[in-house]
Amino acid sequence: MNKKKGRVFSGARPTGRQHLGNYLGAIKNYVDLQKDYDCVYCIVDLHALTTVEDTLNLKQNTNEMVLDWLAAGVNPEETIVFVQSHVPEVTELHTILSMVTPLGKLTDLPTFKEKVRMQPENVNYGLVGYPVLMTADIVLYKADVVPVGIDQAPHLEFAREIVRSFNHRFNTKVLIEPQMKNTVIPKVLGIDGKEKMGKSLNNHIELAATAEETKARVLDMVTDPARIKRTDPGNPDICNVFTMHKIFSPQADIDMVNVECRRAGIGCVECKTLYAKNLNQELKPFREKRSELASKKSLVDEILQDGSNRARKIAQKTMQEVREAVQLP
Ligand code: TRP
């Protein structure tokens, strides 16, 4: 096997069935990174507890998300796919790291302030420690590289600081300062054409939806608001349907829409029907693979079990080094 460039770690909350935004923003990248790195992908169920009120769906959501990852090309033979809480060493490391973490820095983070704004009735202790737990995730597995979107950049910078404090405080080198791999995430808008695609806004298109469901969602997409009548010329440059054509349609269709929309040669319904057809075509192999995987009842559990066994070996070794560095008796 060829030598890889190092270890990648990434975590994602168990949000259930994934949508086009998740795919273009994260999953595609997860799949591609496997070529050059040893990858560890973690479903962060403990992080989810900071905001989730109802834990009833955690297991189901984990299962659905893993199926999407696998169908998209995450390869569990090489990549470690596991659930955060299955490797409890992370909570121990979290506690130790919390001792070198200044409280004021945590409460100053924009991500924390945002959470407080969003759930003022539930400002729990876990929410404050969120970035410490995230740091524990990364350093427990000695990750060299963490792919993150811009929203998580402050957390990664923070993780680097904690690692430096720890290594300095205990005069050691056991923890590795992770590098940030800034992933260029295309901003995928929802079918409303305004907000970022997301489950909570119900403006998303699920990867695992049927072709019919997908078509119905696409036909609901908001287009150029200035184009009211079929005979009005449209402006593809500001139309989300055109943006999506550029991602999923063959070049000939993109060129056609780019010309015909501007001169009202095609209408929005026609344009969307074409996009739905192309999108369904692109997703077909994924959907077939997903159904096949889903029909094997215990497959996901087995993969997660194997993943946590492999993850735990790394984790136990790191914790031994950490305990020694800290000189715990
Ligand atoms: N904080 C990340 C998010 O909300 C999830 C996460 C947890 C993570 N641990 C991580 C991301 C470690 C990268 C590395 O999306």
Side-chain angles (χ1 to χ4, degrees):
M1 217 170 43
N2 58 339
K3 186 91 183 74
K4 305 254 173 124
K5 287 192 228 162
R7 184 177 286 148
V8 157
F9 183 96
S10 185
R13 293 144 170 269
T15 49
R17 287 185 169 214
Q18 302 290 285
H19 54 68
L20 292 179
N22 299 131
Y23 177 69
L24 296 169
I27 303 174
K28 194 168 174 297
N29 197 30
Y30 279 11
V31 174
D32 292 344
L33 283 167
Q34 296 178 118
K35 280 200 291 287
D36 293 328
Y37 296 90
D38 292 314
C39 297
V40 182
Y41 297 143
C42 177
I43 293 105
V44 293
D45 55 342
L46 297 173
H47 277 110
L49 291 182
T50 61
T51 52
V52 165
E53 279 165 44
D54 190 351
T55 53
L56 195 66
N57 294 323
L58 274 181
K59 169 97 181 135
Q60 171 83 5
N61 283 347
T62 298
N63 213 286
E64 299 274 5
M65 192 161 90
V66 171
L67 280 174
D68 282 336
W69 286 4
L70 299 174
V74 169
N75 172 13
E77 305 266 315
E78 287 195 15
T79 294
I80 297 179
V81 180
F82 78 109
V83 174
Q84 187 181 33
S85 69
H86 293 182
V87 183
E89 280 78 2
V90 76
T91 61
E92 181 186 356
L93 185 55
H94 166 265
T95 300
I96 294 175
L97 293 179
S98 75
M99 312 305 171
V100 295
T101 307
L103 182 59
K105 280 219 166 126
L106 289 172
T107 50
D108 273 350
L109 278 170
T111 41
F112 174 69
K113 291 180 179 161
E114 174 65 15
K115 287 279 162 60
V116 173
R117 229 177 344 235
M118 277 163 64
Q119 50 181 62
E121 75 299 333
N122 182 18
V123 183
N124 60 73
Y125 177 60
L127 217 47
V128 185
Y130 189 105
V132 187
L133 183 57
M134 179 163 158
T135 305
D137 279 331
I138 298 166
V139 301
L140 184 58
Y141 302 101
K142 300 213 168 167
D144 304 290
V145 174
V146 180
V148 284
I150 192 74
D151 64 317
Q152 292 294 315
H155 283 163
L156 207 74
E157 198 40 59
F158 184 84
R160 292 162 56 84
E161 277 178 39
I162 300 184
V163 168
R164 289 196 292 268
S165 312
F166 178 92
N167 285 347
H168 179 74
R169 164 84 171 70
F170 297 107
N171 192 21
T172 175
K173 287 186 177 130
V174 300
L175 300 188
I176 296 178
E177 215 179 301
Q179 300 297 316
M180 174 156 27
K181 190 176 175 67
N182 223 305
T183 41
V184 195
I185 296 180
K187 189 169 180 197
V188 183
L189 297 179
I191 58 171
D192 53 23
K194 278 207 291 287
E195 307 286 341
K196 188 174 153 194
M197 186 177 283
K199 208 173 190 168
S200 58
L201 295 171
N202 192 25
N203 64 357
H204 61 303
I205 297 177
E206 283 178 0
L207 297 171
T210 64
E212 294 72 32
E213 286 162 353
T214 304
K215 186 172 176 191
R217 293 294 266 181
V218 168
L219 286 173
D220 275 344
M221 283 176 78
V222 173
T223 54
D224 173 5
R227 191 175 186 194
I228 298 161
K229 295 196 298 293
R230 166 69 179 79
T231 49
D232 294 338
N235 180 5
D237 301 331
I238 57 156
C239 181
N240 189 34
V241 179
F242 186 58
T243 305
M244 298 310 282
H245 265 300
K246 285 190 277 190
I247 299 172
F248 291 106
S249 293
Q251 193 58 43
D253 288 349
I254 301 170
D255 294 341
M256 185 278 286
V257 170
N258 196 14
V259 171
E260 297 302 330
C261 170
R262 288 180 209 277
R263 62 176 185 211
I266 58 164
C268 291
V269 172
E270 227 179 306
C271 175
K272 290 196 267 194
T273 305
L274 181 62
Y275 164 53
K277 187 185 106 201
N278 291 335
L279 179 60
N280 279 328
Q281 184 68 32
E282 283 291 306
L283 290 176
K284 200 164 172 245
F286 166 91
R287 288 169 175 171
E288 284 169 2
K289 178 98 185 282
R290 194 186 195 279
S291 312
E292 184 199 317
L293 295 168
S295 70
K296 301 177 185 159
K297 282 297 163 238
S298 54
L299 181 75
V300 171
D301 284 342
E302 282 163 23
I303 285 171
L304 293 177
Q305 177 69 54
D306 175 63
S308 66
N309 290 343
R310 286 153 69 197
R312 199 155 191 197
K313 286 214 181 79
I314 306 172
Q316 285 176 336
K317 184 157 178 296
T318 305
M319 282 319 296
Q320 206 170 340
E321 293 167 7
V322 166
R323 289 185 210 111
E324 268 169 35
V326 176
Q327 303 186 67
L328 290 174

